[in-house]
Amino acid sequence: MNKSDLATRLARRTRLSKAEAADQLDRVIHQIVTRLRQGQPAALPGLGRFCPGAKWSFRFDHPAGGGKRGE
């Protein structure tokens, strides 16, 4: 899935125009990148978090009571 696909889905589900949805998506991405550049993590509740460092990484949230996969 690319940014355009994601904006299209967001537009459909929120009843925004595709341009408005793409703008909202740009804002979220900008906020994530800004936090990472400041050395702060950026969380996406219910999904995971982006972690700062020499190479940015993403860690998925693990379901409650579930084991950690891939670690």
Side-chain angles (χ1 to χ4, degrees):
M1 177 179 294
N2 62 31
K3 182 179 159 188
S4 178
D5 295 336
L6 190 54
T8 299
R9 281 187 177 195
L10 180 62
R12 266 192 234 130
R13 291 186 181 205
T14 60
R15 298 182 187 208
L16 294 172
S17 72
K18 188 173 176 182
E20 290 171 315
D23 186 48
Q24 292 293 325
L25 185 56
D26 282 340
R27 287 182 185 153
V28 170
I29 292 168
H30 177 74
Q31 290 173 348
I32 290 170
V33 170
T34 298
R35 288 187 60 87
L36 292 172
R37 286 184 177 157
Q38 293 171 349
Q40 301 173 356
L44 295 175
L47 185 62
R49 80 177 32 236
F50 290 92
C51 302
K55 185 176 180 183
W56 298 340
S57 63
F58 183 79
R59 297 188 182 167
F60 286 100
D61 287 342
H62 299 289
K68 292 184 178 183
R69 294 183 293 173
E71 290 187 38

